Amino acid sequence: MKTTSLENGFITFPHNSQRGGDDFLSAYAALRDSTLEALKDTSDCSAVAAKLLKAAQDIDLDEENAILRKATPMQIAVAALIEAGDYDKALDTSADTLTVMSQEARRKDEEFLLILGCLLHDLAFIHNMRKEYKAAERTLSKSIKIFERLAKLNTEQYGSAHINTLNASTSVYRSHIKQVNLLAHYQVATTTYLNMVNGGIKNAMDRLINSLQDEGLTLMHLGKYKDAVRYFSRALKYLTRLQPDFSDRHMELSVMLGQALLHNITTRRKGVHLLNTLLQKAIKNKDNDTAEKINGLLEKQSGRLDIIGMWHKIFPR
C-alpha cells in the first residue's frame, strides 16, 4: 500500500467484535476493511475505486445524512485510485468529494472531520506526487490540525492518524527544501549563462534557455506562478532569437507558460487563449500527445477543479 489514509494502521478502529452495530464509524471501518481486502489484488485497484464511486452515485442527496454517506465511499475511492497510480482521476475525485462536503462545510462533528481529514491527507499525497509542494504543505497542515483535534477526543483511535500526517508533512517539507535548493542552483546557473551570452560565447544561449526553463518549472512547483510566467517568457524570448521558426521546443515552453498563466486568476484568460491557440497548432501538426496534454489543462478550467485551490476558504479552521 502507498502512504494513504487507507494504509493499514492509519486509523486504529476497534476489532469487529468490539465495534458497535449500525453507527457511522462502524460502517466506515467496515468499508475500509473490505476495500483493503479487495486491494490485495493490486491489478484490480481501479475496479475497486469504480465500485466505490458507483455506490456513492446511487445515494440520493435527499436521504438522511446523505452528504456524509455519499462522501465516504468517494473519499476511500481517492485512496484506491492513488494505489492504482491514477493521480489525475484521484484529483478529480478529490474535487468531487470536496464539492459534496462543501454543502455542509461548517460541520465539526467527529464523523465529518474524519472524512475530511483523510481526504486532505490523500489530496496532499497527490499534490506531492505532482510536485505541487506549497499546496501539499497547506493541505497536510489542515489534515494535521483535524487529526490533532480528533486525537484529543479519542487518542487510541486517532493518535496514529495524527502521527502519520505529521510524518507525511516531514517528507513534504524535505521535498520543498530540495526544490528551494534547486532554485538557488538554477538562479546561479542562469546568471552565469546570461553573462556568457552577453560575452558572445558559443552555445551559451541554449544552456541559458534550459536554465530559465528549469527555473520556471521549479517556481511552479513552489507555487510561485507569477515568477514562473516571467522565466518561461524570458526563455521563449531567447529561444526565438536562437530559432526564429516555431519548433517543438517552442511548443513545449509555450505549454508550460500557458499552464503557469492558468494558475493566476488575473492571467487565466491569457492562459486559456494561449493554450487554445497551441491546441490548434498541435492538431494541425498531428501532435496527439501535446494536444491531449493541452486538452487536459483546459478541461481543468471548467470550474470543476477550482475547489482544489480554494477548499481552505470554504471549510472553517
Side-chain angles (χ1 to χ4, degrees):
M1 288 294 298
K2 295 184 172 72
T3 53
T4 67
S5 63
L6 202 54
E7 188 179 16
N8 226 336
F10 183 83
I11 299 172
T12 313
F13 285 111
H15 294 297
N16 290 330
S17 59
Q18 298 174 303
R19 290 203 291 256
D22 300 324
D23 64 293
F24 172 81
L25 293 178
S26 293
Y28 180 75
L31 186 58
R32 283 183 90 256
D33 289 347
S34 63
T35 303
L36 272 170
E37 185 65 29
L39 289 178
K40 285 181 179 179
D41 179 4
T42 54
S43 65
D44 209 29
C45 295
S46 296
V48 172
K51 187 176 179 180
L52 288 162
L53 293 174
K54 176 63 169 60
Q57 190 177 12
D58 290 343
I59 294 173
D60 190 336
L61 286 175
D62 291 331
E63 297 174 14
E64 185 179 355
N65 203 23
I67 296 296
L68 203 55
R69 292 195 299 108
K70 192 177 187 73
T72 297
M74 295 173 75
Q75 178 262 303
I76 295 176
V78 171
L81 287 163
I82 290 173
E83 188 65 23
D86 192 347
Y87 300 122
D88 287 341
K89 178 66 173 175
L91 184 66
D92 289 345
T93 305
S94 297
D96 291 340
T97 312
L98 285 167
T99 300
V100 169
M101 298 185 75
S102 68
Q103 297 179 56
E104 296 182 346
R106 305 203 70 80
R107 283 182 62 168
K108 294 185 179 181
D109 53 278
E110 178 185 354
E111 294 82 3
F112 189 87
L113 290 178
L114 167 60
I115 302 303
L116 182 60
C118 288
L119 179 62
L120 294 179
H121 178 275
D122 294 341
L123 178 57
F125 182 97
I126 299 167
H127 283 312
N128 196 48
M129 293 302 295
R130 291 162 60 93
K131 298 183 179 180
E132 298 165 347
Y133 299 120
K134 182 179 179 181
E137 283 185 277
R138 182 177 62 193
T139 310
L140 262 180
S141 177
K142 176 67 172 180
S143 184
I144 289 168
K145 289 178 182 176
I146 288 173
F147 284 117
E148 181 181 20
R149 180 173 181 168
L150 289 174
K152 289 177 181 177
L153 181 70
N154 188 331
T155 304
E156 183 181 358
Q157 188 157 285
Y158 299 113
S160 56
H162 186 215
I163 297 299
N164 273 290
T165 50
L166 285 169
N167 289 341
S169 69
T170 302
S171 175
V172 170
Y173 178 73
R174 285 174 183 160
S175 298
H176 180 93
I177 292 299
K178 184 179 179 181
Q179 289 296 315
V180 170
N181 291 337
L182 271 175
L183 182 61
H185 166 77
Y186 291 138
Q187 286 172 336
V188 171
T190 296
T191 301
T192 301
Y193 295 137
L194 183 58
N195 290 334
M196 291 169 68
V197 167
N198 292 336
I201 297 177
K202 191 177 180 181
N203 296 328
M205 192 175 291
D206 190 61
R207 295 179 183 180
L208 174 61
I209 294 163
N210 286 336
S211 186
L212 288 167
Q213 175 180 314
D214 289 337
E215 201 163 346
L217 285 170
T218 305
L219 285 162
M220 276 213 300
H221 295 157
L222 292 171
K224 299 182 177 181
Y225 298 106
K226 286 184 180 179
D227 291 334
V229 166
R230 189 157 49 91
Y231 280 90
F232 289 140
S233 297
R234 287 178 65 193
L236 279 165
K237 183 184 75 172
Y238 285 111
L239 180 57
T240 302
R241 282 171 55 182
L242 187 66
Q243 302 174 5
D245 294 333
F246 194 89
S247 64
D248 290 343
R249 199 173 180 190
H250 280 89
M251 174 67 81
E252 183 183 10
L253 262 171
S254 297
V255 171
M256 292 177 190
L257 174 59
Q259 185 176 0
L261 287 166
L262 290 180
H263 280 84
N264 193 305
I265 294 174
T266 58
T267 60
R268 184 173 293 182
R269 283 188 179 181
K270 289 182 180 179
V272 170
H273 178 73
L274 173 61
L275 289 173
N276 274 316
T277 301
L278 295 172
L279 179 60
Q280 297 310 311
K281 280 183 176 290
I283 292 171
K284 184 178 180 181
N285 295 333
K286 297 182 179 179
D287 184 353
N288 296 330
D289 289 341
T290 301
E292 185 178 346
K293 181 177 181 178
I294 294 171
N295 268 323
L297 291 170
L298 289 170
E299 282 173 8
K300 288 178 172 55
Q301 296 313 302
S302 63
R304 184 162 165 265
L305 289 183
D306 279 355
I307 195 168
I308 293 293
M310 60 185 289
W311 64 261
H312 57 288
K313 296 179 181 178
I314 297 172
F315 296 91
R317 295 187 179 185

